[in-house]
Amino acid sequence: MTSRPEYLPERLALLSDVQAAEYISAGLLEGREDVPSIALNKVAEPLPGDEARLGLHRVRDLIDHALAKFQGERPTAADAWLAPRLHETLRLTRREAAEKRLWTYMALGVAPDYVVWRHLSDSKADSSRGRVARDKFVGPHYKQAFARLWWAAELFRNGSDYRPAVVACGSQDMLNSALRLDVIDHRPTALALVRLIEGGVVRTGREVNALTSAVNAAAATLMYDVIAPDVERDGEPMRDWIEGAESALPSSRDSLPEGPEEEGVPEKAVQRLVAHFEDLFADAPVRGRTPDESG
């Protein structure tokens, strides 16, 4: 199985898709080879400065803990635990998190062993090896191994409260479908989707997919930010939170960390969308659902 990189510098870095291509071999995707970390770091672009939040070893220590904690369990179980802690450890702005090269470096330069452990598929009936999809190393934010977790924590948190993100990350179908949608950037929409999972209105992967499809389709004619307005975002809590990384302790391994002290989502807005989404879901086509099971 792919091993922890033998060389880990002090700082995180950036790695382009073109640079990464040389190191994404068939052997790596099948978990048979390691990434030549010294060679990779010769072409990577180290991040400037000395901010604690961009130190490599804080992130690597977190990933080591995840690997130890979930060894022997289904790898998907690690998502809900790691997502909020990765978000709290890195403390990125959205602009910084949109830098694809950072996540590519995370996957190849910091933790290729985690990517393989988490995303290696099972061997097939014809005895061919399992394989990691290439986009887990260099894919878009809704597919790449670490970007998807960071963005899930960012989009589903309620101010400093990561509990909704934990619920969302506990559903692979929610992670795989909702992160693709522009409407998920509207906080009341994101939290309303989580409430429907918590309330047992949607349970299966097919139901989650049907719900998110219906919500996204309805957004073409109904403006959710008008019927369920969010509070105006204030950038000061995020700036304070990022600056606080210099003196912050490592993210708690046992209790849920806290995000930036932003104002939470108005409860009335969430409740309004929960009711609306329940109606949408009742009429949504769910593969395998009988008419008697519909609302």
Side-chain angles (χ1 to χ4, degrees):
M1 187 68 78
T2 299
S3 302
R4 188 180 195 268
E6 62 178 5
Y7 172 68
L8 293 169
E10 292 298 317
R11 305 283 294 164
L12 293 172
L14 305 176
L15 192 71
S16 71
D17 285 1
V18 172
Q19 293 168 327
E22 181 179 349
Y23 302 99
I24 304 176
S25 64
L28 174 65
L29 295 178
E30 293 177 355
R32 296 183 289 105
E33 295 179 0
D34 297 335
V35 174
S37 53
I38 294 176
L40 180 141
N41 278 283
K42 286 181 178 179
V43 301
E45 178 187 341
L47 291 172
D50 58 357
E51 293 174 275
R53 67 193 177 104
L54 299 177
L56 185 149
H57 290 278
R58 286 172 67 95
V59 180
R60 182 64 227 197
D61 288 348
L62 178 66
I63 291 168
D64 284 338
H65 191 93
L67 283 167
K69 180 178 179 66
F70 293 95
Q71 197 65 43
E73 297 188 36
R74 291 184 62 85
T76 53
D79 288 352
W81 184 89
L82 183 57
R85 291 168 176 83
L86 181 68
H87 186 274
E88 192 272 341
T89 297
L90 288 174
R91 302 199 185 195
L92 303 171
T93 65
R94 288 193 176 188
R95 177 176 294 182
E96 290 170 330
E99 174 55 86
K100 188 173 184 289
R101 295 178 297 166
L102 172 63
W103 302 114
T104 300
Y105 180 79
M106 280 276 295
L108 285 167
V110 179
D113 53 326
Y114 184 88
V115 178
V116 170
W117 171 80
R118 169 60 184 83
H119 293 286
L120 185 67
S121 64
D122 294 331
S123 298
K124 299 179 181 178
D126 62 3
S127 298
S128 59
R129 288 179 175 272
R131 192 176 178 89
V132 178
R134 191 174 186 275
D135 56 25
K136 299 306 178 186
F137 287 98
V138 293
H141 75 279
Y142 54 84
K143 287 189 175 182
Q144 204 272 352
F146 295 112
R148 69 197 286 266
L149 297 181
W150 192 94
W151 280 104
E154 171 66 11
L155 294 171
F156 284 102
R157 66 182 174 87
N158 186 6
S160 64
D161 184 4
Y162 284 118
R163 285 177 296 178
V166 171
V167 175
C169 291
S171 167
Q172 290 301 303
D173 294 281
M174 182 63 75
L175 267 180
N176 294 335
S177 59
L179 286 186
R180 301 169 182 260
L181 309 179
D182 290 339
V183 294
I184 210 67
D185 193 46
H186 180 236
R187 295 196 304 167
T189 294
L191 293 187
L193 292 175
V194 168
R195 293 282 179 87
L196 293 181
I197 294 175
E198 288 181 308
V201 176
V202 293
R203 297 183 177 87
T204 69
R206 290 178 179 179
E207 291 177 344
V208 169
N209 290 331
L211 171 65
T212 54
S213 295
V215 167
N216 192 53
T221 56
L222 186 63
M223 299 181 67
Y224 297 144
D225 57 347
V226 173
I227 65 170
D230 195 358
V231 296
E232 185 174 348
R233 303 293 290 271
D234 178 4
E236 192 64 29
M238 175 62 77
R239 288 190 289 271
D240 291 343
W241 186 65
I242 289 174
E243 291 175 2
E246 296 304 307
S247 57
L249 296 173
S251 186
S252 173
R253 303 320 192 224
D254 300 318
S255 58
L256 206 58
E258 293 185 355
E261 291 293 334
E262 296 174 325
E263 186 174 352
V265 178
E267 181 61 24
K268 286 184 178 180
V270 179
Q271 291 178 356
R272 189 171 294 125
L273 287 184
V274 166
H276 180 64
F277 292 169
E278 283 184 341
D279 291 340
L280 288 178
F281 177 66
D283 295 329
V286 179
R287 191 157 56 94
R289 183 168 69 177
T290 65
D292 289 342
E293 293 175 320
S294 301

